[in-house]
């Protein structure tokens, strides 16, 4: 016998069920046969519905999916934690520009976790490793002062390179002070785009 209602829990438990993800109850649409009706509201203002089916008149309270639990009222969201990206800038290394400091200034409390980089090399001498010292404000975000290979750390294909950086308060700069291991020559260039994924309060 088909289930009349199914209460969805955390958002990671929702597996492609659009009705459950939005309304808080799942199951095939045919289970309702168009007969679900709102018969009242609970003390938090959420509807209580009655469905038509094998258990006619069975009342079920509609539950919010996990990702909506921070909603205080329709359109009013309580402060929550999110996973967002902090742009760190774009730069082209060239013969006259072989060092650069990538930086991003956070506007809300933020803790960096994962670097991502895109590199485009042009020319025979564009073979140098991009070496970086990482800072949260004035604090070194490394265990030693020696620069690290930023491309290896931030490679989108890399596995297990997530960090737990020091939390940064609004206004703090996060920086990657970069140099090249091999100087560029002639008109050769290395184009770099850098970003930092992390958790912030929003």
């Amino acid at each position: 016998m088909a289930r009349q209602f199914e209460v969805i829990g955390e958002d990671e438990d929702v597996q492609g069920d659009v009705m459950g993800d939005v309304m808080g109850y799942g199951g095939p649409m045919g289970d309702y046969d168009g007969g679900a009706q709102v018969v009242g509201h609970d003390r938090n203002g959420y509807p209580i519905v009655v469905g038509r089916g094998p258990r006619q008149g069975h009342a079920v309270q509609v539950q919010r999916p996990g990702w909506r639990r921070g909603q205080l009222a329709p359109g009013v969201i309580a402060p929550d934690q999110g996973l967002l990206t902090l742009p760190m800038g774009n730069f082209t290394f060239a013969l006259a520009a072989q060092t650069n400091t990538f930086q991003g200034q956070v506007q809300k409390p933020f803790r960096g976790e994962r670097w991502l980089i895109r590199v485009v090399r042009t020319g025979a001498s564009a073979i140098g490793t991009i070496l970086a010292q990482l800072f949260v404000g004035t604090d070194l975000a490394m265990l030693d002062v020696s620069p690290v290979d930023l491309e290896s750390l931030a490679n989108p294909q890399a596995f297990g390179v997530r960090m737990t950086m020091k939390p940064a308060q609004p206004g703090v700069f996060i920086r990657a002070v970069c140099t090249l291991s091999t100087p560029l020559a002639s008109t050769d260039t290395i184009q770099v785009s850098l970003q930092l994924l992390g958790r912030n309060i929003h």
Side-chain angles (χ1 to χ4, degrees):
M1 179 176 66
R3 292 174 294 178
Q4 185 179 8
F5 292 99
E6 178 182 351
V7 176
I8 301 299
E10 298 293 335
D11 54 357
E12 57 264 29
D13 296 332
V14 180
Q15 300 179 356
D17 187 338
V18 175
M19 178 63 75
D21 195 38
V22 176
M23 298 300 297
Y25 56 89
M29 290 296 290
D31 288 356
Y32 303 103
D33 195 27
Q37 298 181 359
V38 176
V39 297
H41 295 78
D42 66 9
R43 62 182 181 180
N44 295 318
Y46 289 92
I48 297 176
V49 300
V50 172
R52 187 173 66 195
R55 293 181 291 173
Q56 189 168 359
H58 178 61
V60 175
Q61 179 180 334
V62 178
Q63 300 292 324
R64 286 176 294 178
W67 59 269
R68 296 187 64 194
R69 288 178 183 166
Q71 181 173 280
L72 301 178
V76 181
I77 309 300
D80 196 6
Q81 173 180 253
L83 183 62
L84 299 177
T85 180
L86 175 65
M88 299 292 291
N90 306 293
F91 185 77
T92 299
F93 292 93
L95 177 62
Q98 311 221 22
T99 63
N100 183 59
T101 297
F102 294 90
Q103 67 180 25
Q105 186 178 33
V106 300
Q107 308 302 310
K108 296 184 178 181
F110 177 82
R111 189 190 73 183
E113 294 189 2
R114 174 73 191 270
W115 295 89
L116 290 174
I117 194 172
R118 177 175 173 81
V119 179
V120 178
R121 300 174 184 271
T122 303
S125 68
I127 59 174
T129 300
I130 301 172
L131 301 175
Q133 287 181 305
L134 309 176
F135 291 89
V136 177
T138 59
D139 295 324
L140 183 67
M142 302 160 52
L143 295 178
D144 200 353
V145 296
S146 300
V148 298
D149 179 357
L150 186 60
E151 287 182 82
S152 295
L153 177 66
N155 189 330
Q157 306 298 323
F159 178 78
V161 292
R162 181 176 173 184
M163 303 176 66
T164 303
M165 300 178 69
K166 184 174 182 177
Q169 301 306 312
V172 171
F173 283 96
I174 297 179
R175 296 183 173 98
V177 182
C178 297
T179 59
L180 299 177
S181 63
T182 303
L184 290 167
S186 185
T187 59
D188 297 349
T189 61
I190 300 178
Q191 299 178 14
V192 178
S193 177
L194 186 66
Q195 60 181 309
L196 175 61
L197 298 180
R199 298 187 179 274
N200 83 312
I201 303 299
H202 60 178

